[in-house]
Amino acid sequence: MRTVIDRACALTGLTLFSLALFVALLWIEASKPALAQVVRVDAAERAENARAALLSRPRGGVLGLMGYNVTPDGSANALQVNRSSSGEEGSSTLLLSQFGFGFTVSESFPLFLEAYIGTARYDPRPLFGGEGARRLPLRWNNIAGTIGIGYDIALTENLWLRPIVNFSAGYAASDAALFGAFLNRRRNTDLSRLTDVHMNVRGQGGSLVLAYYDYRPQRDIEVEIRYTHIELETFGDTPPEAAGSSTARTLGLWSRYRWPTGREAFGRPVRWVLDGSLTTYLGDQRDAIGFAWSAKLGGGIELDVGRREIGAVGLNLSRVRLIGRYFVGDKDVSGYSFGLGVSF
């Protein structure tokens, strides 16, 4: 019997830790008169540099990066991308994370539903403008969500075709926009040139998935080939100079192999897990992230908790996975990630 299809659900601890650390540093440093003087002197220059980096490349800049955030990824995770291996300060300019899920409602009603949330944190100056990173930079943050509604069409016993309609929405703003009111109140520092710059983004598109699922007691095999195309545009109170549109297109191959370890937990077998993916970026997000393709390879363990009957509204948690992955891409891009996956 075909089980409910699972998807990866990632931890965003790396991004949350980075944000919490930045807030703590900002609170401590904002109380120092010397820093207040530096902020006053450099505010106009930093504002102009970050503003220019944001607005000069609407398709390949922040809006292009949003295309990466909205594209569902079967190996969703928290990811730190390193642009070089030299260890220089600022070489790690991009923090990405995504978590989400997807499932088929039932065998008798094969409606497929998915939902993903992606984030990004970066300094736009080295990422988009080619400038070096600076101490206490004014960084930017993206958050975007994508939902999908599809239908599973059985081609053979183990082969499925799944068309999906996708809808996306996102928001981008700088740390100054998020914490500018606090700084203005504490030190009377004018950061209005940054606080009035942000982006509201929406999009629509679709995906086509060709999937192979073969579940047996001695091993499980899952393979998916997915093409996604989402058209993005700014809307609402986005500043006119930041308005634009962008196209996110990806073609990816994802696979997973599972087999028993010979041990048990919660009264069920513990399994080894290997998974990998290869993704080609065909849209404007290629310019924004700086590489044309990426690959992930990783592994971990999976616990079967189905006997606990944890869940609601007809969905019970069946398996939990702990997976570490290594990330590589062209142009000397590398990274690593850790994820927590669940199956229903």
Side-chain angles (χ1 to χ4, degrees):
M1 178 178 293
R2 178 168 169 260
T3 61
V4 175
I5 301 168
D6 67 277
R7 289 293 181 279
C9 175
L11 292 177
T12 58
L14 182 61
T15 301
L16 294 177
F17 176 80
S18 174
L19 185 58
L21 181 59
F22 179 83
V23 173
L25 289 174
L26 192 61
W27 180 275
I28 295 172
E29 296 296 328
S31 62
K32 297 181 180 180
L35 179 60
Q37 291 295 329
V38 173
V39 171
R40 290 192 186 99
V41 172
D42 294 344
E45 179 185 355
R46 293 190 179 204
E48 286 300 328
N49 289 342
R51 185 184 181 94
L54 169 69
L55 304 178
S56 61
R57 302 176 60 192
R59 296 179 68 88
V62 176
L63 191 56
L65 184 58
M66 192 73 73
Y68 183 93
N69 300 141
V70 302
T71 304
D73 186 346
S75 57
N77 45 53
L79 176 68
Q80 177 175 318
V81 178
N82 300 316
R83 291 303 181 96
S84 70
S85 58
S86 61
E88 296 179 359
E89 181 181 1
S91 62
S92 300
T93 58
L94 187 58
L95 296 175
L96 300 166
S97 65
Q98 189 181 69
F99 65 95
F101 61 90
F103 62 93
T104 300
V105 175
S106 69
E107 292 188 6
S108 59
F109 183 50
L111 182 70
F112 179 81
L113 302 174
E114 66 179 3
Y116 284 83
I117 294 179
T119 66
R121 179 164 170 78
Y122 50 93
D123 186 337
R125 290 165 299 193
L127 191 62
F128 303 137
E131 302 180 31
R134 306 177 188 178
R135 294 183 181 276
L136 292 179
L138 296 176
R139 295 183 179 272
W140 281 78
N141 309 274
N142 290 8
I143 183 168
T146 297
I147 61 172
I149 303 174
Y151 193 83
D152 286 355
I153 303 172
L155 302 179
T156 66
E157 180 181 358
N158 298 319
L159 191 64
W160 304 81
L161 183 66
R162 180 183 304 130
I164 305 172
V165 178
N166 291 116
F167 300 94
S168 303
Y171 181 78
S174 69
D175 287 341
L178 299 176
F179 303 110
F182 167 76
L183 290 178
N184 289 335
R185 185 171 60 252
R186 292 275 295 182
R187 293 298 174 186
N188 194 28
T189 302
D190 183 12
L191 295 178
S192 60
R193 289 290 291 170
L194 277 180
T195 56
D196 65 350
V197 180
H198 61 274
M199 279 189 177
N200 302 306
V201 180
R202 63 188 176 192
Q204 58 278 324
S207 304
L208 186 63
V209 179
L210 181 64
Y212 176 83
Y213 304 118
D214 188 1
Y215 301 112
R216 302 184 183 183
Q218 63 272 26
R219 55 100 179 117
D220 289 347
I221 297 177
E222 300 171 304
V223 181
E224 293 181 359
I225 300 175
R226 176 168 182 156
Y227 175 76
T228 299
H229 184 129
I230 299 177
E231 294 289 340
L232 298 173
E233 63 178 359
T234 56
F235 72 100
D237 61 350
T238 300
E241 62 269 33
S245 62
S246 179
T247 299
R249 292 189 297 129
T250 62
L251 177 63
L253 170 66
W254 171 86
S255 63
R256 176 176 293 151
Y257 185 82
R258 296 179 285 202
W259 73 99
T261 64
R263 299 180 178 274
E264 290 189 354
F266 304 105
R268 299 287 180 87
V270 177
R271 295 187 173 194
W272 296 114
V273 181
L274 289 177
D275 73 8
S277 65
L278 177 63
T279 304
T280 300
Y281 307 102
L282 306 173
D284 296 322
Q285 74 269 41
R286 175 188 293 208
D287 293 334
I289 59 179
F291 47 92
W293 62 267
S294 68
K296 300 175 188 175
L297 180 63
I301 61 172
E302 180 180 79
L303 305 176
D304 190 331
V305 296
R307 294 183 63 179
R308 301 292 180 176
E309 296 185 352
I310 304 171
V313 296
L315 292 176
N316 289 325
L317 186 64
S318 63
R319 297 175 181 177
V320 177
R321 289 179 302 280
L322 297 174
I323 297 179
R325 298 184 180 94
Y326 183 69
F327 173 97
V328 295
D330 63 333
K331 300 183 180 179
D332 297 325
V333 174
S334 64
Y336 54 87
S337 67
F338 299 93
L340 171 66
V342 298
S343 301
F344 295 94

